Amino acid sequence: MSGEPNRVVLADDHPQLRAMVRDALEAGGFEVCAEAASGPEAVRLAQQHDPDVVLLDIHMPGSGIKAAADIRKLLPATAIVMLTVSRDDRDLFDSLRAGATGYLLKDTDPARLPAALRGVMSGEAAIPRALVARILEEFRAPARPRFGRRSKAASRLTSREWEVMELLADGSTTDEVAKRLFLSPTTVRVHVSSVLHKLRVKDRQAAIDLLRDDRS
C-alpha cells in the first residue's frame, strides 16, 4: 500500500547499536519490524516479515554473510545491506558475492542511514568511497590464471567442482573453501573426491597440476 513506511529487519548482536540504528531509521521514516542478534535468527525473521531491507552485522553469531546468502535465496526481492566495522577486503567481496547490495561501516553517521537504504532500494550500491576504490583495484588487477577445460576428463567436472579446485589452487584450505562457497568442509571433500575420480589422479595436487597443464 503506497505511503506505508519501508520495513527493515535489523540484525546485530550489540543491543545498544541496534537501538541507535533503530532510532535513526525510524526518524528517517522506516519501520524496524524485527530485530535479531544472530544470523539464523535474522533469516527466520526475514522469512516471517518479508521486509524491504535486511540490515546485517557481518561478525555476529552464525555469520551475517551466511545469513545474507540464505536470505538472498529465500527472498530475492529483499535488499540486503551489511553494517560492519570490517574494512577487510575478503569480508567486502564475500558480502557482495552473498548478495549484499550495500556495505556500510558502523562509523557512518547514523543520520545518513535512511538515505543510504533508500538508495539501495532504488538500485544504487551503498558502499563507502574507500571501499569502492578497492573493488576497482580488484577488477583492474591482472586476471589470475584459470584452469583449462579442453580434455575429455576435465570437461566432466561440474561448475561447483571447478570453483572448489580453483580456490584450492589459490592456496585456500578446505575450511576456507567451505566458508567462501557456503558449504560444509565435508561437502568440499566430497567434491574433491569426485574430481580425483573423474581425472583419475591420486591426490588434489595432482589434479591441480593436471588442470593447470590443460589451460587454453
Side-chain angles (χ1 to χ4, degrees), residues 160-180:
R160 180 62 87 188
E161 289 167 352
W162 281 109
E163 288 177 318
V164 167
M165 296 309 297
E166 286 177 336
L167 287 172
L168 290 172
D170 278 349
S172 297
T173 65
T174 297
D175 288 344
E176 288 169 343
V177 172
K179 182 180 177 182
R180 290 287 296 276

Side-chain angles (χ1 to χ4, degrees), residues 33-114:
C33 57
E35 296 183 30
S38 70
E41 187 180 13
V43 175
R44 179 179 63 79
L45 291 173
Q47 283 187 280
Q48 178 181 338
H49 292 278
D50 192 15
D52 300 290
V53 184
V54 178
L55 193 57
L56 297 168
D57 178 33
I58 286 183
H59 294 300
M60 63 182 166
S63 174
I65 294 175
K66 175 67 164 58
D70 291 342
I71 293 168
R72 171 60 63 217
K73 292 175 184 176
L74 295 167
L75 302 169
T78 295
I80 298 170
V81 177
M82 315 309 289
L83 184 63
T84 179
V85 297
S86 176
R87 298 173 183 267
D88 183 80
D89 288 355
R90 175 164 289 190
D91 283 339
L92 170 62
F93 295 130
D94 283 352
S95 295
L96 297 178
R97 291 187 188 100
T101 50
Y103 192 96
L104 301 175
L105 299 174
K106 288 183 178 179
D107 58 9
T108 300
D109 181 355
R112 297 176 59 185
L113 289 175

Side-chain angles (χ1 to χ4, degrees), residues 113-184:
L113 289 175
L117 296 195
R118 287 194 176 88
V120 168
M121 289 187 295
S122 66
E124 300 175 6
I127 301 174
R129 290 181 181 179
L131 298 184
V132 170
R134 294 186 191 179
I135 295 172
L136 293 175
E137 288 171 5
E138 176 74 9
F139 279 95
R140 288 170 179 165
R144 61 183 173 84
R146 307 291 286 185
F147 291 149
R149 307 192 182 194
R150 292 178 297 169
S151 74
K152 187 174 181 180
S155 67
R156 292 200 296 267
L157 271 59
T158 66
S159 60
R160 180 62 87 188
E161 289 167 352
W162 281 109
E163 288 177 318
V164 167
M165 296 309 297
E166 286 177 336
L167 287 172
L168 290 172
D170 278 349
S172 297
T173 65
T174 297
D175 288 344
E176 288 169 343
V177 172
K179 182 180 177 182
R180 290 287 296 276
L181 299 181
F182 305 105
L183 303 172
S184 70

